[in-house]
Amino acid sequence: MSTILEKIAAIESEMARTQKNKATSAHLGLLKAKLAKLRRELISPKGGGGGTGEAGFEVAKTGDARVGFVGFPSVGKSTLLSNLAGVYSEVAAYEFTTLTTVPGCIKYKGAKIQLLDLPGIIEGAKDGKGRGRQVIAVARTCNLIFMVLDCLKPLGHKKLLEHELEGFGIRLNKKPPNIYYKRKDKGGINLNSMVPQSELDTDLVKTILSEYKIHNADITLRYDATSDDLIDVIEGNRIYIPCIYLLNKIDQISIEELDVIYKIPHCVPISAHHHWNFDDLLELMWEYLRLVRIYTKPKGQLPDYSSPVVLHNERTSIEDFCNKLHRSIAKEFKYALVWGSSVKHQPQKVGIEHILNDEDVVQIVKKV
């Protein structure tokens, strides 16, 4: 493993030494591609049997969504979990109090949301320091990441944590690159650009692809892309997760400093110890999770508003709703009656393709 780490360190130092200009762009692109390949080997080493998974890290997924707390040691992750979910996670004045994943669960707007208090990450976690790789591997399975920061410590910590997560293939608050990429058997590299490119040209694209031993591919760039975006698309193992930055310990700063903090995007100042600003945090969490609640209505009865069926924003058809209830319902489905903002008439008869909106009421009629 040390040889891979040495190679990564050598490439990073060479990238730091190289000036960025038109003449060196192809060389930098090649180095970035090599770096991405080495990082992937770190995440999943080639061959060999599966190692002994260390106990106490992966937690069974429960509820409708999963939120992970990521941060340096002693920023207040465990205090936040204890006060939000009422679960006891050991809290002490020394670093690395939490050594395994501690799960908790809260109910918000009818949806069950699982909270995971992960152990603290240190610099170099993506290279395997301080069990960092197991921590970030659990973070990859989350629907939303709460990055807990101490507002008394410099904001450089935010950059360091982002760098650690990016090194592990997690992209925070980003959309997947709008690049069409398809490998083929013959015909060389065919590059189409829909908009003028400031960084990528045919030579640079060929250099990056040749590092992956790809000599035949169709690539369409639909926006002004960077070489990093192209590498992300070729690697294909990147995960795009929304992230909220929680600046904890605001009880120790002045009002003027708080006004400055509020201007940082994707950011919520809180005090985990004094329960300050939790309502703002939960509201933003709901917005970022983009969940849709659907209420069920048995025939001849009032809708059940106490326990909604929670779907993700991108999968809200009647078919997804049926599958969430039970796999067999979609097969016996005849039509559905829907009340709510997704239909013109109340109620309206719809088919299995119909897309539902938040807080719609649905009654399903099966084939006899």
Side-chain angles (χ1 to χ4, degrees), residues 227-243:
S227 50
D228 290 326
D229 295 339
L230 180 62
I231 289 167
D232 283 355
V233 170
I234 297 165
E235 283 278 342
N237 63 352
R238 304 294 187 243
I239 290 183
Y240 298 85
I241 304 178
C243 173

Side-chain angles (χ1 to χ4, degrees), residues 317-341:
S317 70
I318 295 273
E319 188 172 5
D320 296 316
F321 171 74
C322 291
N323 289 337
K324 186 82 190 243
L325 290 172
H326 197 276
R327 288 266 175 246
S328 65
I329 294 179
K331 293 185 187 113
E332 300 167 10
F333 178 87
K334 189 176 180 188
Y335 64 88
L337 295 170
V338 176
W339 292 256
S341 58

Side-chain angles (χ1 to χ4, degrees), residues 43-64:
I43 297 170
S44 50
K46 281 183 185 170
T52 54
E54 291 188 50
F57 254 86
E58 187 48 61
V59 176
K61 211 167 186 172
T62 59
D64 302 304

Side-chain angles (χ1 to χ4, degrees), residues 238-253:
R238 304 294 187 243
I239 290 183
Y240 298 85
I241 304 178
C243 173
I244 298 175
Y245 304 104
L246 311 186
L247 285 162
N248 191 14
K249 308 187 184 178
I250 55 167
D251 49 320
Q252 299 173 20
I253 59 170

